[in-house]
């Protein structure tokens, strides 16, 4: 993994301040019965696990849920596609994070041929309406896509293969990530363009530097939610790390190719 531009002591100090804000946010969610859903998608090895860990590290495990669903069972394959995700949506007072989500269909399933062309088109045609229904039902939906360069992914895949503590992360899909890079890029671009709605827009995080990605993602998240006594002075966001654009814009921000 490439060396971070942020010294460890600076990272830990800044992260602590942001995590204190996350605790304030959680108190507000619980007190007011709010429902917050954060979706974390991205390239293989982009750091989804680490980003989520940096968010939930000091939050209440009773009121924070991390959802990372396995492959669909034979019964689930015969259900409405969104059905198994609905059971995992946040209840009142809960903060839920999806480590990959229904957008598997627009990414991995599409690229690897795990769904039919009809299933993919049906998903793309209905997901905005589905998320609109969630938002109109008072679930705040925030979507992040973690992006890295092909070169950085190659480094991380090699590191993962060498690290005995990360063997569980290695999969046949990961092994094809480099060979199918362009196909994944095309699927990502189409997904971002068609599913970034006004009610549930995508925010892209440049995740080549994991520490900068963690700090900027959390700061961005905190700016987008309401809670009392917010310390706005520490919510500094680097526009080179957090890439946002108008939901109705046809031009995507600068992404890895």
């Amino acid at each position: 993994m490439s060396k971070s531009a942020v010294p460890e002591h600076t990272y830990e100090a800044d992260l602590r301040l942001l995590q204190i804000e996350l605790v304030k946010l959680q108190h507000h969610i619980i007190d007011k019965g709010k429902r917050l859903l954060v979706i974390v998608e991205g390239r293989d090895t982009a750091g989804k696990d680490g980003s989520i860990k940096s968010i939930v590290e000091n939050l209440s495990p009773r009121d924070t849920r991390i959802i990372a669903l396995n492959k669909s069972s034979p019964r689930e394959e015969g259900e409405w596609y969104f059905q198994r995700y609905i059971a995992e949506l946040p209840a009142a007072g809960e903060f839920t994070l999806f480590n990959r989500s229904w957008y598997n269909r627009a990414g991995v399933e599409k690229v690897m041929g795990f769904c039919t062309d009809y299933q993919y088109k049906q998903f793309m045609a209905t997901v905005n309406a589905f998320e609109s229904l969630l938002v109109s039902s008072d679930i705040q939906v925030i979507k992040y896509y973690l992006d890295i360069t092909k070169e950085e992914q190659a480094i991380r895949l090699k590191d993962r293969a060498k690290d005995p503590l990360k063997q569980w992360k290695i999969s046949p899909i990961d092994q094809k990530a480099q060979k199918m890079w362009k196909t994944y890029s095309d699927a990502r671009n189409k997904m971002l363009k068609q599913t970034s709605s006004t009610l549930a827009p995508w925010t892209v995080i440049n995740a080549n530097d994991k520490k900068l990605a963690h700090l900027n993602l959390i700061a961005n998240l905190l700016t987008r939610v309401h809670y009392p006594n917010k310390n706005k002075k520490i919510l500094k966001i680097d526009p080179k790390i957090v890439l946002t654009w108008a939901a109705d814009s046809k031009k995507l921000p600068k992404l890895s190719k």
Side-chain angles (χ1 to χ4, degrees), residues 29 33-36 65 88-96 139:
I29 290 173
K34 299 291 185 180
R35 293 180 287 177
L36 177 60
R65 301 174 66 241
E88 307 296 345
L89 293 173
E94 287 185 345
F95 179 5
T96 299
I139 297 176

Side-chain angles (χ1 to χ4, degrees), residues 128 143 191-198 200-202 245-248:
N128 286 347
K143 305 187 297 193
M191 179 190 78
L192 294 177
K193 285 182 179 179
Q194 293 191 18
T195 68
S196 190
S197 64
T198 303
W202 280 103
W245 74 103
D248 58 354

Side-chain angles (χ1 to χ4, degrees), residues 141-159:
V141 180
I142 300 177
K143 305 187 297 193
Y144 291 104
Y145 185 92
L146 276 55
D147 200 43
I148 55 175
T149 62
K150 187 176 183 181
E151 293 73 22
E152 179 63 21
Q153 186 186 68
I155 292 171
R156 294 184 187 184
L157 285 170
K158 289 180 181 179
D159 289 344

Side-chain angles (χ1 to χ4, degrees), residues 84-132:
R84 70 184 188 133
Y85 293 101
I86 289 175
E88 307 296 345
L89 293 173
E94 287 185 345
F95 179 5
T96 299
L97 300 99
F98 278 9
N99 185 346
R100 292 200 183 275
S101 65
W102 42 79
Y103 283 102
N104 266 342
R105 178 136 296 177
V108 173
E109 290 188 20
K110 166 65 174 174
V111 172
M112 300 300 293
F114 295 156
C115 66
T116 66
D117 191 49
Y118 171 77
Q119 288 173 328
Y120 169 75
K121 289 179 179 179
Q122 186 181 49
F123 170 81
M124 295 293 278
T126 60
V127 65
N128 286 347
F130 173 69
E131 290 176 354
S132 176

Side-chain angles (χ1 to χ4, degrees), residues 11 14-15 18-19 21-22 25 36-42 46-56 95-98 142-147 202-207 209-225 227 234-244:
Y11 171 71
D14 290 348
L15 181 61
L18 291 170
Q19 290 179 334
E21 294 299 301
L22 285 167
L25 168 61
L36 177 60
L37 173 63
V38 172
I39 290 173
V40 183
E41 293 284 345
K48 294 178 289 295
D49 293 335
S51 294
I52 291 173
K53 181 180 178 182
S54 71
I55 294 171
V56 306
F95 179 5
T96 299
L97 300 99
F98 278 9
I142 300 177
K143 305 187 297 193
Y144 291 104
Y145 185 92
L146 276 55
D147 200 43
W202 280 103
T203 297
V204 177
I205 304 294
N206 179 342
D209 186 318
K210 288 187 176 183
K211 291 178 181 177
L212 281 176
H214 296 168
L215 297 176
N216 279 270
L217 190 158
I218 296 173
N220 178 265
L221 171 61
L222 291 167
T223 64
R224 297 169 66 180
V225 290
Y227 61 94
I234 69 168
L235 304 184
K236 300 173 183 178
I237 299 170
D238 185 341
K240 293 181 181 178
I241 303 297
V242 179
L243 311 178
T244 57

Side-chain angles (χ1 to χ4, degrees), residues 159-210:
D159 289 344
R160 181 177 289 183
K162 296 176 184 176
D163 191 340
L165 296 178
K166 295 182 179 179
Q167 295 299 302
W168 63 273
K169 290 188 173 185
I170 299 174
S171 72
I173 292 175
D174 288 345
Q175 293 167 3
K176 293 184 179 181
Q178 288 273 292
K179 292 181 181 179
M180 306 189 75
W181 180 269
K182 180 63 166 58
T183 308
Y184 270 111
S185 294
D186 292 342
R188 173 205 62 193
N189 293 349
K190 190 170 184 179
M191 179 190 78
L192 294 177
K193 285 182 179 179
Q194 293 191 18
T195 68
S196 190
S197 64
T198 303
L199 292 175
W202 280 103
T203 297
V204 177
I205 304 294
N206 179 342
N208 272 352
D209 186 318
K210 288 187 176 183

